[in-house]
Amino acid sequence: MSKVRDPAKIHPAVKLGLELGPIVLFFVAYLALKDRVFTIAGAEYDGFILVTAAFIPLILLSTFFLWRLTGKLSRMQVVTAVLVTVFGGLSVWLNDDRFFKMKPTLIYLVFGGALGLGLLRGQSWLKLVMEEMMPLRHEGWMKLTRRLCAFFLALAVLNELIWRTQTTEIWVYFKTFGLSAAVFAFFMTQGRLFTDYAIEDPEHGKDSPAG
């Protein structure tokens, strides 16, 4: 009988490339085409719209390859791919960049709202998707979930403020670097929580009972 491949066996560099590659390519392509206007079938499209049109199949392909290599996708990856397709498609179809700019707002509202709903039920739905990476006690998961829920909702508001008040170029920089840096900074500032609520290894834990 053939051995089933462990779905977690994927080189970190490959995984990172598939997750961040489409975003980097979007940014580079935007910088190259941002000042150009293209006439297609009698309609004029600026560079942002064309880059958005190319980004949709790119994110779908990267999501497909992640699934093929790992055997699974996170809920965030699935929702992101769906919203990119829907709102990116609307921007291209209607030749209106506002729909694509709303996409991060919807993503953060969906996940912030989902975490909030779980909290109202006395549960940490964050634990369901991250428990293997960060084993924490129940109190730690609840506290981290409350913080991440508030953080996601704040990012949704911030994205709305940026795209509605700033230029497209500023929004692209914000989306490419600002949002990623904010998420990284959030988890970096949770180090104390991870330490205080970590589950000790029963074989090596410092609190193991004396013989």
Side-chain angles (χ1 to χ4, degrees):
M1 185 173 65
S2 61
K3 184 179 179 181
V4 178
R5 178 178 57 87
D6 184 349
K9 297 299 182 181
I10 175 174
H11 196 285
V14 175
K15 187 173 185 294
L16 185 65
L18 288 172
E19 291 177 343
L20 298 184
I23 298 173
V24 173
L25 290 175
F26 174 87
F27 178 72
V28 172
Y30 171 75
L31 291 182
L33 302 177
K34 64 179 182 177
D35 297 323
R36 299 182 61 182
V37 176
F38 300 84
T39 301
I40 302 174
E44 290 189 344
Y45 299 88
D46 62 28
F48 181 88
I49 295 296
L50 259 66
V51 173
T52 299
F55 184 68
I56 297 171
L58 192 59
I59 198 72
L60 291 177
L61 280 173
S62 68
T63 303
F64 171 76
F65 283 121
L66 273 173
W67 172 71
R68 290 288 295 173
L69 290 171
T70 65
K72 61 181 179 179
L73 291 172
S74 70
R75 291 178 177 86
M76 180 172 287
Q77 289 167 332
V78 173
V79 171
T80 298
V82 170
L83 291 179
V84 165
T85 302
V86 172
F87 285 88
L90 283 172
S91 283
V92 175
W93 183 31
L94 300 175
N95 199 9
D96 188 338
D97 62 12
R98 292 177 298 176
F99 291 99
F100 191 67
K101 292 176 181 177
M102 293 178 190
K103 185 262 300 178
T105 301
L106 269 294
I107 288 177
Y108 292 122
L109 284 178
V110 166
F111 287 104
L115 294 179
L117 180 60
L119 289 170
L120 290 176
R121 297 165 60 92
Q123 300 173 334
S124 171
W125 290 353
L126 181 65
K127 179 182 178 181
L128 299 177
V129 296
M130 298 187 68
E131 186 173 21
E132 293 182 0
M133 293 183 287
M134 303 182 303
L136 300 174
R137 300 198 303 274
H138 176 73
E139 312 92 90
W141 280 116
M142 294 300 289
K143 182 173 289 189
L144 180 62
T145 301
R146 286 193 292 269
R147 293 178 182 179
L148 193 58
C149 175
F151 176 69
F152 279 154
L153 296 179
L155 286 185
V157 172
L158 182 59
N159 183 68
E160 285 296 295
L161 289 174
I162 295 295
W163 84 259
R164 291 180 184 275
T165 63
Q166 304 300 317
T167 64
T168 295
E169 184 168 354
I170 290 177
W171 179 82
V172 170
Y173 277 93
F174 166 74
K175 176 184 177 297
T176 305
F177 302 108
L179 291 176
S180 299
V183 173
F184 176 78
F186 172 83
F187 281 101
M188 288 296 292
T189 59
Q190 303 308 306
R192 179 65 181 272
L193 183 148
F194 298 145
T195 300
D196 291 346
Y197 295 96
I199 296 177
E200 292 288 347
D201 185 333
E203 295 184 0
H204 303 93
K206 59 186 177 182
D207 296 328
S208 58

